[in-house]
Amino acid sequence: MATSTEDLRRKLFHKFSNHLKFIMEKGFIPKLELQFQDTYICPVCLRQFSEDALERDAPNMLTAEDAPPASLGGRKIALTCLECNN
């Protein structure tokens, strides 16, 4: 059974993956060579990730990121890869 954090991470992945496709299709940004059908780009390192990166055993899994930091009242609004989140 998925936890609320896992559900949120999956929701954020699909939201931003779909936004990326939309803005490329509408010509707002140049077409990128996407490595995966559904692609999430880490906003820090700009590496591309597939939905498999949401799995807990992924080598560099996507994690929910608080912005601003939770200690300052932030909330989880994006994903970053584990390497960038540490």
Side-chain angles (χ1 to χ4, degrees):
M1 176 175 231
T3 67
S4 61
T5 302
E6 289 169 339
D7 290 339
L8 174 64
R9 289 186 312 116
R10 193 161 305 282
K11 180 179 175 181
L12 288 170
F13 179 93
H14 288 290
K15 175 182 178 179
F16 288 107
S17 176
N18 289 334
H19 285 176
L20 177 62
K21 289 177 193 173
F22 176 80
I23 63 175
M24 283 193 315
E25 288 170 2
K26 297 298 182 184
F28 294 118
I29 64 170
K31 294 246 183 209
L32 302 173
E33 188 173 321
L34 300 179
Q35 297 174 0
F36 312 103
Q37 175 70 27
D38 293 321
T39 299
Y40 184 88
I41 298 176
C42 174
V44 179
C45 65
L46 302 178
R47 286 182 281 183
Q48 295 184 30
F49 293 89
S50 71
E51 194 169 356
D52 293 341
L54 295 171
E55 301 301 323
R56 294 245 176 243
D57 61 350
N60 188 17
M61 73 179 257
L62 290 170
T63 60
E65 183 72 32
D66 294 313
S71 61
L72 298 174
R75 58 189 181 91
K76 296 179 183 342
I77 62 166
L79 301 173
T80 57
C81 67
L82 186 60
E83 289 176 12
C84 289
N85 199 0
N86 282 329

